[in-house]
Amino acid sequence: MLIKSNMRTLQRGSSVIELPVITFFMVILVLFIVRINQSISQKNQLDNLAYSLTSIVACEQCDNTMLASGSSSSAPTAKVISTELADSLLLVAQRHFNTLIEDSSAEIGLHVEQVVFDPSTQEPRSYDVRAGADCLSTQRLSSLTDLSPIGTTPGFNAGQHAELFQVTLCIKGMSSIAEEFTPLFLLRFSDSYYQSAALLIGRTL
C-alpha cells in the first residue's frame, strides 16, 4: 500500500511539472503561427503596393507633374523619374504601413528605376532614385532591357522600344517574436523576405 501511495504521489508531481511545460510550448506554437500569418499578410500587402506604385510611375496618361525632363539634347526629351516622385511614393508607402511602423522599429525604403531608349539609336539609358531606408533592387532594371517590346505601327512607333519602369519596396528592421534578441541571420532573412519589386512597360508604345 505504501508503494502504491508513493507512486501516486510521484505521478501527481510529474503531472504538475509537465502541465506548465506543455502550456509554455503550446503558447509559443500559437504565437509562432500568428506571426507567420501576419508575415504572409504583410508580404501580400507589400507585393500589391509595389505593383500599385509602379503603375503610378508608368502611367503616361496621368497628370503626373512630378516627372522631370531628360537631359538629352540630341533627341526629344523623355520623362524621367525624379526625387520628388520617389519622396511622394515613399509617403504613400509609409501611410499604408503606418500601424506597422508605429508598433515597431521598421522603416520603409524604395528604389525607383526607369529605362528609356534613344529615339534615333535605340540605346537604353537608365535612371534610378532611392528614398527612405536603404533599399536596392535585387535585379537591376538595366539588365532587363530585353523585356521591352518593339513597336510595329508604321509612322508611329515602328522600331521603337517601350520604356521600362520598376519599383522595389522594402521594409527594413522587422522584429520577430524575440524582439531585440532576434538572431542576426533572422534579421537578414526578414530584410530579404520583406522586399518586393514590380516591373511594368511604359504605356506610350
Side-chain angles (χ1 to χ4, degrees), residues 1-190:
M1 293 293 292
L2 182 59
I3 294 176
K4 290 183 178 180
S5 177
N6 289 338
M7 290 181 63
R8 291 194 190 97
T9 302
L10 290 173
Q11 289 176 350
R12 292 195 201 98
S14 63
S15 298
V16 170
I17 295 173
E18 290 172 358
L19 182 60
V21 174
I22 294 173
T23 302
F24 173 76
F25 281 105
M26 288 296 293
V27 170
I28 294 297
L29 180 61
V30 170
L31 290 176
F32 179 75
I33 293 173
V34 170
R35 182 59 178 168
I36 290 296
N37 288 334
Q38 289 178 342
S39 299
I40 293 174
S41 175
Q42 290 163 353
K43 175 65 173 178
N44 289 335
Q45 292 181 48
L46 194 66
D47 292 339
N48 293 334
L49 183 59
Y51 179 81
S52 298
L53 296 182
T54 310
S55 298
I56 293 174
V57 178
C59 182
E60 288 291 337
Q61 283 76 24
C62 301
D63 182 20
N64 197 341
T65 58
M66 292 175 292
L67 290 173
S69 295
S71 58
S72 172
S73 57
S74 60
T77 57
K79 289 183 177 179
V80 180
I81 53 178
S82 65
T83 54
E84 290 80 6
L85 175 63
D87 290 339
S88 298
L89 297 179
L90 178 63
L91 183 60
V92 172
Q94 289 173 336
R95 289 178 177 175
H96 185 84
F97 289 103
N98 182 55
T99 303
L100 177 64
I101 296 174
E102 289 182 347
D103 295 341
S104 66
S105 58
E107 294 181 302
I108 307 292
L110 57 82
H111 184 200
V112 185
E113 298 170 89
Q114 179 186 18
V115 171
V116 299
F117 294 83
D118 187 275
S120 57
T121 64
Q122 290 303 294
E123 285 296 320
R125 298 194 191 97
S126 299
Y127 304 89
D128 76 300
V129 62
R130 287 184 280 177
D134 186 31
C135 182
L136 190 65
S137 59
T138 55
Q139 188 168 12
R140 298 301 296 267
L141 187 60
S142 56
S143 66
L144 301 172
T145 54
D146 290 342
L147 296 177
S148 174
I150 302 176
T152 58
T153 305
F156 177 62
N157 59 9
Q160 301 292 314
H161 280 274
E163 298 177 356
L164 296 176
F165 299 89
Q166 179 172 261
V167 173
T168 302
L169 196 58
C170 308
I171 302 179
K172 298 292 185 179
M174 285 290 292
S175 59
S176 66
I177 299 175
E179 296 296 340
E180 64 268 17
F181 301 105
T182 304
L184 181 60
F185 76 92
L186 282 182
L187 287 176
R188 290 175 178 172
F189 170 78
S190 176

